[in-house]
Amino acid sequence: MKLPPLKALPVFEAVARLNSFSLAADELAVSQSAVSHQIKQLETYLGEPLFHRTGRYLSLTEEGRQYLEAISSALLQIERASEQLLGQEAARLRISVFSSFAVRWLVPRLPELSRQHPQLDLSLEMTGENPQLSDRVADCFITIRKTSAAFAYDLLYTERLFPVCSQEYWQKICREQQLEPATDQLDPRLLAAYPLLSTHSIFDRPAGDWEAWYAAIDLKLPPQQRIQHFSHMLLALEAARFHQGIALTNDYMLNPLHDGEDFVRLPCHQLTTGDEFYFAWKLARRSEVGIQRLRRWLVSQAIDSGLRNE
């Protein structure tokens, strides 16, 4: 078996992750010259430069980026295997997750994860966009796209949008429209009388969420409709909480235990957006106990909370 200088591999990973020879030296408790020697030894063995060096600026070459992607997973597997053999059951995992999914759905459930799996040490890496599937970013991911054949995916949720407002605002609608709150369906055309709270980012165009919601039942957004625009669903939902109008939201944004007294889901149709949320993990790491425990727990929580069917 022909292997590269093994001592150089964790040094290379540290330099690439920290983007600094000096910071890597501090983390590894060695001298900066020792770090430089290990990187030079590895580059000589591989016959390729791994870093661009321009003054104080350091960046990976394309060959370095590809090499880092390959060895990071291997180093993590060696670490996990050694911990298991030594009887150290604690599993440290980084999960990259959308900020709204983290804040509204995952974080409130973390105490239950700690109770069921105290050996899991979970670190959340929040992202506003679909995350890059890479060991450099996290160990596992919540993603809405299957972008890499090197990963496995477990469905957690197929997104549905539905209208909500505050309890106080719903009482106002019922009075004005002469509705019986417990029994009457709400004609969507009646919403034209009230401000609609729109999230621009859902369909990347102003009022795109409400246009799609009306189009689902072959109606058009009323041309004179009062609309208040927000960049994120969290903001629109908070505006609805404070009686400013009607917002479109999804299942994971509402927690029945904490939001039941604040919000009412209007008795109208729902819109399936086409976005599917997956738990993703690298196929090369499918045997890691920590990842599989987290995967099973997330799926069970998605089922219990109504996000996913059995």
Side-chain angles (χ1 to χ4, degrees), residues 253-265:
M253 293 292 289
L254 291 182
N255 187 324
L257 296 178
H258 303 126
D259 297 320
E261 296 182 359
D262 292 335
F263 294 105
V264 172
R265 177 171 174 170

Side-chain angles (χ1 to χ4, degrees), residues 3-16 28 38-39 41-42 45-46 50 67-68 71-72 74-75 78:
L3 295 173
L6 296 181
K7 288 184 178 179
L9 296 183
V11 175
F12 167 63
E13 188 278 334
V15 173
L28 298 169
Q38 292 289 351
I39 297 300
Q41 187 180 15
L42 185 59
Y45 175 86
L46 295 171
L50 298 174
Y67 196 58
L68 176 66
I71 71 158
S72 293
L75 290 172
I78 292 170

Side-chain angles (χ1 to χ4, degrees), residues 42-68:
L42 185 59
E43 289 179 326
T44 300
Y45 175 86
L46 295 171
E48 298 283 355
L50 298 174
F51 295 96
H52 294 297
R53 301 167 177 87
T54 308
R56 294 184 177 181
Y57 183 73
L58 188 71
S59 64
L60 285 165
T61 62
E62 180 58 26
E63 293 80 10
R65 187 193 64 77
Q66 293 177 5
Y67 196 58
L68 176 66

Side-chain angles (χ1 to χ4, degrees), residues 94-96 125 132 134-141 285:
R94 297 165 300 149
I95 181 170
S96 178
E125 305 286 340
Q132 177 190 4
S134 167
D135 284 329
R136 286 176 294 151
V137 177
D139 302 300
C140 46
F141 304 83
R285 300 178 62 182

Side-chain angles (χ1 to χ4, degrees), residues 104 164-171 237-245 253-266:
R104 300 295 295 176
V164 299
C165 65
S166 68
Q167 292 276 2
E168 180 179 312
Y169 208 81
W170 176 236
Q171 295 301 320
L237 195 60
E238 286 305 296
R241 188 192 303 272
F242 291 99
H243 329 303
Q244 295 176 33
M253 293 292 289
L254 291 182
N255 187 324
L257 296 178
H258 303 126
D259 297 320
E261 296 182 359
D262 292 335
F263 294 105
V264 172
R265 177 171 174 170
L266 274 60

Side-chain angles (χ1 to χ4, degrees), residues 16 26 33 41 81 90 97 149 167 217 219 227 230 240 272:
D26 290 341
S33 62
Q41 187 180 15
V97 57
Q167 292 276 2
I217 53 171
L219 292 176
I227 297 176
F230 297 88
T272 300

